[in-house]
Amino acid sequence: MQAHGQVQVSGAKWRKAGLSAGLGLLAAGTANAEYGLNMPRGVTPFSSNVYDLHMTILWICVAIGVVVFGAMFYSMFKHRKSVGHEPAQFSHSTKAEIIWTIIPIVILVVMAIPATQVLIQMEQTGDTDMTVKITGYQWKWKYDYIEDDISFLSNLDPASNAARQLGSGIDPASVPNYLLEVDNAVVLPTNTKVRFLITAEDVLHAWWVPELGWKRDAIPGKVNEGWTYIEEPGVYRGQCAELCGKDHGFMPIVIDARSPEDYAAWVAEQKGEQLAEAQQVAREWTHAELFERGQGVYEQQCAACHQLNGEGLAPAFPALAGSPVATGPVAEHLKVVLNGRPGTAMQAFRRTLSETDIAAAMTYTRSAWGNADKTPVQPREVVSAKRG
């Protein structure tokens, strides 16, 4: 009896533990609230067509499942051995084979017609109003507005970037849109057909915003096309959908869709900022100015590999604190930053950073973490090195 009682107590404990675990899993699922049971309808006519196609195929599959499993279970119950049914003795039926061949073909044709129409619509990238070139880098996006002559990089926002660092002590739940926010969003006009040219500079990436209804691979040496026509102003988020390296999960995409009037105002603002930035290259910068700016550039562009403290992650990502490159001749340091190191993870920043940002980042790394060079690297030196 005692042993039986112990078993009962043990069983109660297990049931209680199981209930607690179940509640814990339920609570965890509740905490991760950003999920859905179905794909979004999206905010473009194309994404709506994709959604309708998806639902059509889904209900066809549901109907097939109901018919097939219904017939199977009915037959199993109706013709069971316990009510005296004897199994049929035939092993081949030409009529049955013809029926179960023709019916699936008809179903596939019915499904293929709307699917083909959507695929054709997806490839209709002509007759667009504007073009945006998208280039994937490890681990950021670059956007070039072809007609408006605007270019910028889009990185994970500083708040998310700080919270994701090991030992940061920052609760990710306290960061709005954690890992889904960027420093520079893609601004697009509504009710405008926008063509995208998508490629990559280093490794495979994939540009994906679910609300647009499609995604495209970004492949080095190849240009893929896509298009969109956003009807509703708003902010729409996505991510890189390709396993592109250790920071694959830190390449969010944010689209800020605005009215054509607001978009025109944004274009004017961007051109003014780019003109002011170009004028900054020629002037003499102080060490303090470059150091302050360089810290921000370093945290966005370099800290993922070399770490915020400059100690790196050996052997793949060497330390910059005390580095012979970061403390050696400026010209050699500049070559590495501009051209990268072939065969390593060190990428070339020649085309992704402005001359002022490169000068600022170098000034910062040459005088931070105990590195003793306090001579500022001027933007004009970067211009001269680029012309080479």
Side-chain angles (χ1 to χ4, degrees):
M1 292 296 290
Q2 186 177 7
H4 180 67
Q6 289 174 342
V7 171
Q8 285 183 322
V9 171
S10 177
K13 286 183 176 179
W14 279 110
R15 286 194 294 274
K16 185 177 181 180
L19 179 60
S20 300
L23 292 174
L25 290 173
L26 182 61
T30 304
N32 299 318
E34 291 294 334
Y35 73 94
L37 296 177
N38 203 352
M39 62 185 293
R41 177 175 283 278
V43 292
T44 71
F46 175 75
S47 66
S48 182
N49 290 341
V50 171
Y51 180 85
D52 291 339
L53 172 65
H54 161 72
M55 295 306 299
T56 299
I57 303 298
L58 173 66
W59 287 119
I60 289 176
C61 292
V62 169
I64 293 172
V66 169
V67 171
V68 171
F69 285 99
M72 185 177 70
F73 288 121
Y74 172 79
S75 180
M76 292 168 61
F77 177 77
K78 182 70 176 179
H79 305 103
R80 64 190 186 277
K81 184 179 179 180
S82 61
V83 296
H85 277 277
E86 295 292 333
Q89 300 300 315
F90 67 88
S91 60
H92 177 76
S93 172
T94 302
K95 183 185 293 184
E97 290 187 358
I98 292 175
I99 292 174
W100 69 46
T101 301
I102 291 177
I103 291 178
I105 291 176
V106 172
I107 294 173
L108 288 175
V109 171
V110 170
M111 295 166 68
I113 292 174
T116 303
Q117 291 173 338
V118 171
L119 285 175
I120 293 174
Q121 185 186 17
M122 179 185 293
E123 300 302 328
Q124 291 176 343
T125 56
D127 193 26
T128 52
D129 301 306
M130 60 178 285
T131 302
V132 177
K133 180 185 175 186
I134 303 169
T135 306
Y137 293 87
Q138 286 183 317
W139 289 273
K140 51 186 166 286
W141 298 100
K142 184 182 181 185
Y143 298 97
D144 296 291
Y145 290 63
I146 305 300
E147 292 85 357
D148 294 318
D149 195 24
I150 295 172
S151 298
F152 58 83
L153 291 173
S154 183
N155 299 277
L156 181 67
D157 77 304
S160 292
N161 196 32
R164 77 180 181 91
Q165 303 296 328
L166 290 174
S168 69
I170 302 174
D171 181 5
S174 67
V175 179
N177 299 310
Y178 177 62
L179 299 185
L180 290 175
E181 189 60 271
V182 296
D183 55 356
N184 293 309
V186 186
V187 178
L188 296 176
T190 56
N191 299 313
T192 303
K193 187 171 182 179
V194 181
R195 178 191 184 203
F196 297 106
L197 303 176
I198 305 171
T199 186
E201 185 70 14
D202 37 43
V203 299
L204 291 177
H205 302 276
W207 199 82
W208 179 42
V209 178
E211 297 288 351
L212 301 188
W214 54 266
K215 65 178 178 180
R216 282 287 189 280
D217 286 338
I219 305 170
K222 182 177 180 179
V223 177
N224 285 326
E225 291 183 292
W227 68 275
T228 192
Y229 187 94
I230 301 174
E231 295 178 304
E232 303 173 19
V235 176
Y236 309 109
R237 303 179 188 278
Q239 290 175 296
C240 176
E242 187 67 60
L243 187 59
C244 58
K246 76 177 186 65
D247 280 358
H248 153 75
F250 309 120
M251 286 184 67
I253 301 161
V254 178
I255 290 180
D256 183 358
R258 304 181 183 181
S259 67
E261 295 76 19
D262 290 343
Y263 173 75
W266 176 81
V267 168
E269 180 184 349
Q270 292 297 307
K271 288 187 174 181
E273 291 181 0
Q274 291 195 4
L275 178 61
E277 179 68 20
Q279 293 172 343
Q280 293 291 318
V281 174
R283 78 175 177 89
E284 189 79 9
W285 290 67
T286 67
H287 179 272
E289 289 175 326
L290 288 169
F291 186 90
E292 181 180 1
R293 178 165 175 159
Q295 184 173 11
V297 176
Y298 178 85
E299 291 176 358
Q300 279 291 342
Q301 306 295 331
C302 315
C305 296
H306 296 291
Q307 305 299 291
L308 287 172
N309 56 12
E311 295 181 357
L313 290 171
F317 307 112
L320 296 183
S323 160
V325 174
T327 59
V330 172
E332 294 302 317
H333 187 184
L334 196 46
K335 284 182 182 178
V336 175
V337 175
L338 289 178
N339 305 317
R341 284 193 184 279
T344 72
M346 179 61 193
Q347 60 181 288
F349 289 95
R350 175 184 293 272
R351 288 187 288 179
T352 57
L353 291 181
S354 69
E355 290 81 4
T356 305
D357 281 343
I358 290 176
M362 288 184 59
T363 300
Y364 176 74
T365 56
R366 295 178 70 83
S367 54
W369 322 298
N371 293 344
D373 188 352
K374 305 299 181 184
T375 304
V377 179
Q378 296 296 334
R380 63 173 180 275
E381 297 179 63
V382 182
V383 174
S384 177
K386 280 187 173 181
R387 291 172 178 170

